[in-house]
Amino acid sequence: MMLRTSLVALACFSLTLACGGGGASDGAVGAKTLRLPMRSAGPGTLDPVMGSTTYDNRAASMSYETLLQYKYLARPLELEPLLVTEMPKVTERDGQQVYRFTLRDDVRFQDDPCFEGGVGRPLVASDVIYSWKRLADPVNEYKSWWIVADMIVGLDAYKEAQKARVDAGESFDYEAEVEGLRVLNEREFEVVLTEPVYAFLYKITQFQLSIVPREAVETYGEQFAIRPVGTGPYVLAKDGWTKNKSLSYLRNPNFHPEVYPTAHEAGDEEFGLHVAAGQTLPFADRVEFTMFENDNPMWLEFKAGGLDYSQVPAENFAEAFELRSRRLKAEFRDKGVRGTSVPLLDFIFRAFNMEDELVGGTTDDKIALRRAFALATNLKEFNDSFYNGQNIVYDGMIPPGLDGHPEGGLSAVSVRGPQLDEARRLLAEAGYPGGEGLPVIDYYISSGSNIPEQASMWKRQLGALGVQLNVRQSNFAQLIDAVNSKKAPMFSFSWSSDYPDGENNLSLFYSPNVSPGSNHFNYSRPEFDELYEKVRAMPPSPERTRLYEEMRDIVLADVPFVGSMARERFYVIQPSLKNFKPTEAFYNWVKYLDVAARP
């Protein structure tokens, strides 16, 4: 899920990174320590503007904060203030939508040598403006620019003017004004939008728009990607990042006042999620993340008591849950383990680079080639073999539960296999009868979980057409680097929606967002772009839903991907872990977790 890495940061790695510490204690014997899994090789960067994978998000959200956050216990999702005193005031001025924010007066950056005397200073309005301007700095490769593009008055013009300066050999000017970003005083600022953007408040909860101090960026330069300095509940421990293995965080002793939610939902009391109401956050003194590129070691570690919770690998589902009832088995319940599940806003796909000479393009023969691949693909076999038949298979890019998801999962322009006879006909129409003359195609995947096995299945399914794949596997960060640099003709991963609106998923096909932006498919259709620019300003309505469906089907007809599937993630939770209400919609929830102290 949204996925970036920093070559600069990677170049700075030694086996173990000596980072931060920020004045936090190392944790005394008996201190509360959370032991959490990270189901990958871990983050590629800790710099918010350079990140976008789930793993970058989880790591950055430990130390950094955004203006707003999601209410921890609320379902469906609901926003609330975090670094601001209240939700922004919205007015109209000269036909433009103006948001006024007021920062809290009790928020400080963590202690760090980048500040005078090593003492963290208060958060001020100019920090927000600086942090958001970083998205326009070419040194950050515009990796997160797609989030704010065409949204704030004057910001796009600022980006182009600064690019011209840098191209001319001058330095990027962070002091230059942006009309739509106005500092009113140390605690107040305004954001003026180019047009009403329904998802604006959702967008500013994305971790890429976290607030960072200029002193840290300028002091640490390239090493800022491995040396976070934020306002969040935890700081990276000294020697706290061992690449591909672990991350260690300590409680931030200067964390601003925040308490556990006082409101909860029906059903939360059954799991004790109401007990900590009003208590000061965070609860844990130390957080230890362990990376697991393969699922079996994670599962064994949980069963041995070494992890506070675990996602349940599909291969181990029947060991933990009854297949028909999905109830946790007695052997786990008898140990006090709790089981639960979370439906994901999930878009699992196998993608084509639409700029690739062989598989890209929108001419009839290129579309026929991709349709042949799609019709040779048996998603039911994937679902049954790797997900115990529990995924939702659907057409398009908008997952279940969001406007624009096709009724029953089926679109009128569905391109779903297996239909081998039609696939063979289309392959011949594309100029490759029986696969003759079609070169071997590089297919890029990550090496984690059961992804290599899934790649072998797809290789076999396409092999029935005479199509040959060269499977190229690497760790997740390397996969995303290949995709961002447009080197991968075909690739696969999954996207979890950044916020609960189908517009977020449709943005993956908006042409200005091509790689290294969120449009990893490098898809481009003028009629789609025109509709996207229209719908992003629209609030929910039957008309907006109709347009979402039209846009979905425009993309489906061009077949830039083969898909889709959405997962229901199953969790098992140790009895010692308190306050855990799993979600994969946001990642700043570690501060709410409590655990019995360990010797």
Side-chain angles (χ1 to χ4, degrees):
M1 312 155 194
M2 291 203 301
L3 321 163
R4 302 283 183 273
T5 186
S6 168
L7 294 177
V8 170
L10 292 175
C12 294
F13 278 123
S14 59
L15 179 62
T16 303
L17 301 174
C19 300
S25 68
D26 288 335
V29 172
K32 292 182 177 182
T33 300
L34 290 166
R35 301 172 303 186
L36 310 180
M38 193 172 287
R39 205 173 171 185
S40 75
T45 178
L46 301 183
D47 182 349
V49 303
M50 294 295 286
S52 76
T53 72
T54 294
Y55 318 110
D56 298 337
N57 190 340
R58 292 185 67 187
S61 295
M62 298 291 290
S63 300
Y64 292 112
E65 296 180 299
T66 52
L67 300 180
L68 307 178
Q69 66 179 355
Y70 292 100
K71 293 183 178 179
Y72 178 51
L73 300 179
R75 306 291 188 274
L77 299 177
E78 185 178 346
L79 294 172
E80 66 179 359
L82 178 55
L83 294 179
V84 291
T85 58
E86 59 186 350
M87 297 299 286
K89 294 180 172 63
V90 188
T91 59
E92 295 287 334
R93 183 188 304 152
D94 300 327
Q96 295 175 322
Q97 199 170 56
V98 181
Y99 286 75
R100 175 172 287 199
F101 295 86
T102 302
L103 294 173
R104 295 171 52 162
D105 62 3
D106 57 357
V107 178
R108 303 180 67 90
F109 289 105
Q110 70 185 62
D111 292 345
D112 189 89
C114 70
F115 300 115
E116 185 176 353
V119 178
R121 62 166 176 78
L123 173 72
V124 294
S126 59
D127 292 317
V128 180
I129 308 307
Y130 170 76
S131 299
W132 293 4
K133 282 181 174 179
R134 292 187 68 226
L135 277 68
D137 191 335
V139 75
N140 295 319
E141 304 174 27
Y142 306 127
K143 287 190 171 183
S144 299
W145 175 253
W146 64 274
I147 300 172
V148 297
D150 302 319
M151 189 172 72
I152 297 172
V153 171
L155 190 57
D156 289 79
Y158 171 80
K159 170 179 173 279
E160 294 307 313
Q162 295 307 310
K163 181 179 185 302
R165 281 179 57 93
V166 172
D167 288 347
E170 300 180 63
S171 61
F172 190 96
D173 184 5
Y174 277 98
E175 304 303 327
E177 293 187 359
V178 174
E179 182 182 353
L181 295 173
R182 301 171 179 167
V183 173
L184 305 178
N185 54 57
E186 283 200 343
R187 292 181 52 217
E188 293 182 295
F189 65 96
E190 289 182 340
V191 180
V192 185
L193 302 188
T194 56
E195 61 180 350
V197 176
Y198 171 73
F200 171 64
L201 295 183
Y202 287 133
K203 285 176 177 286
I204 64 175
T205 66
Q206 292 183 234
F207 80 101
Q208 295 95 333
L209 271 67
S210 297
I211 312 307
V212 307
R214 185 169 181 172
E215 296 96 323
V217 177
E218 294 184 348
T219 298
Y220 300 123
E222 294 179 351
Q223 292 208 3
F224 181 66
I226 61 173
R227 188 156 184 164
V229 180
T231 61
Y234 293 97
V235 302
L236 189 66
K238 184 178 181 181
D239 300 330
W241 188 1
T242 302
K243 184 186 175 186
N244 301 333
K245 291 186 178 180
S246 64
L247 278 165
S248 298
Y249 292 89
L250 306 175
R251 178 200 296 269
N252 178 3
N254 298 325
F255 186 53
H256 55 78
E258 189 176 3
V259 299
Y260 190 88
T262 55
H264 62 274
E265 296 189 320
D268 287 346
E269 291 188 15
E270 178 184 356
F271 305 112
L273 295 171
H274 65 300
V275 174
Q279 295 183 26
T280 301
L281 303 177
F283 291 108
D285 301 295
R286 189 178 186 103
V287 181
E288 300 283 354
F289 286 102
T290 302
M291 285 45 153
F292 296 96
E293 285 197 81
N294 297 307
D295 286 340
N296 191 54
M298 176 185 71
W299 183 241
L300 294 175
E301 185 73 8
F302 173 82
K303 292 203 301 178
L307 293 173
D308 292 315
Y309 77 83
S310 178
Q311 296 171 348
V312 180
E315 294 83 353
N316 303 102
F317 182 82
E319 182 182 350
F321 288 87
E322 302 289 348
L323 286 175
R324 295 188 64 183
S325 68
R326 301 187 180 188
R327 186 182 185 212
L328 189 67
K329 287 187 172 180
E331 64 186 89
F332 286 88
R333 297 199 312 270
D334 291 346
K335 297 175 182 177
V337 173
R338 177 163 67 94
T340 191
S341 67
V342 181
L344 304 186
L345 294 177
D346 217 8
F347 169 36
I348 302 173
F349 55 82
R350 291 158 182 84
F352 303 96
N353 175 5
M354 296 292 283
E355 293 184 8
D356 185 75
E357 290 186 8
L358 178 62
V359 299
T362 54
T363 56
D364 289 346
D365 59 327
K366 299 297 187 180
I367 294 174
L369 177 64
R370 295 192 298 272
R371 287 178 69 90
F373 284 26
L375 292 177
T377 302
N378 186 342
L379 292 178
K380 184 178 185 302
E381 185 180 13
F382 281 101
N383 196 11
D384 291 343
S385 299
F386 298 107
Y387 302 100
N388 298 293
Q390 294 168 350
N391 281 4
I392 296 173
V393 178
Y394 67 94
D395 293 329
M397 70 297 289
I398 301 176
L402 301 184
D403 287 349
H405 180 75
E407 184 176 353
L410 196 64
S411 163
V413 294
S414 176
V415 187
R416 192 187 298 181
Q419 300 180 47
L420 285 177
D421 288 343
E422 178 63 6
R424 292 185 179 105
R425 187 192 68 79
L426 286 167
L427 191 63
E429 183 180 308
Y432 307 105
E436 184 179 346
L438 185 66
V440 177
I441 304 171
D442 286 337
Y443 173 47
Y444 286 67
I445 62 165
S446 66
S447 55
S449 187
N450 56 24
I451 302 303
E453 290 77 13
Q454 292 200 40
S456 294
M457 179 175 285
W458 201 35
K459 183 175 181 177
R460 170 176 55 76
Q461 290 179 356
L462 295 185
L465 297 184
V467 175
Q468 299 180 64
L469 296 184
N470 175 35
V471 178
R472 301 188 58 170
Q473 65 182 67
S474 61
N475 68 40
F476 197 68
Q478 291 167 335
L479 164 65
I480 299 311
D481 184 52
V483 173
N484 285 342
S485 60
K486 304 182 182 181
K487 293 178 181 177
M490 293 167 58
F491 53 92
S492 181
F493 48 83
S494 63
W495 174 282
S496 290
S497 301
D498 295 304
Y499 44 86
D501 193 301
E503 176 270 330
N504 180 240
N505 294 73
L506 292 167
S507 73
L508 306 182
F509 301 91
Y510 181 50
S511 64
N513 292 345
V514 296
S515 294
S518 62
N519 183 351
H520 301 296
F521 313 87
N522 303 308
Y523 178 79
S524 179
R525 274 284 186 190
E527 55 267 42
F528 178 92
D529 289 350
E530 183 177 349
L531 288 173
Y532 178 78
E533 290 163 2
K534 179 179 180 180
V535 300
R536 74 179 195 146
M538 298 174 67
S541 68
E543 172 63 10
R544 190 187 74 158
T545 300
R546 185 190 67 78
L547 293 176
Y548 278 12
E549 293 168 348
E550 181 180 346
M551 296 167 68
R552 176 198 71 209
D553 290 350
I554 288 173
V555 175
L556 277 173
D558 284 334
V559 202
F561 64 88
V562 177
S564 309
M565 291 194 291
R567 293 164 289 188
E568 181 175 2
R569 186 91 77 192
F570 287 81
Y571 285 77
V572 284
I573 304 159
Q574 301 285 9
S576 57
L577 183 62
K578 305 173 186 178
N579 308 336
F580 187 35
K581 188 171 184 176
T583 179
E584 297 184 32
F586 56 92
Y587 287 98
N588 73 339
W589 40 259
V590 174
K591 63 187 174 184
Y592 300 103
L593 303 186
D594 197 1
V595 67
R598 299 186 181 92

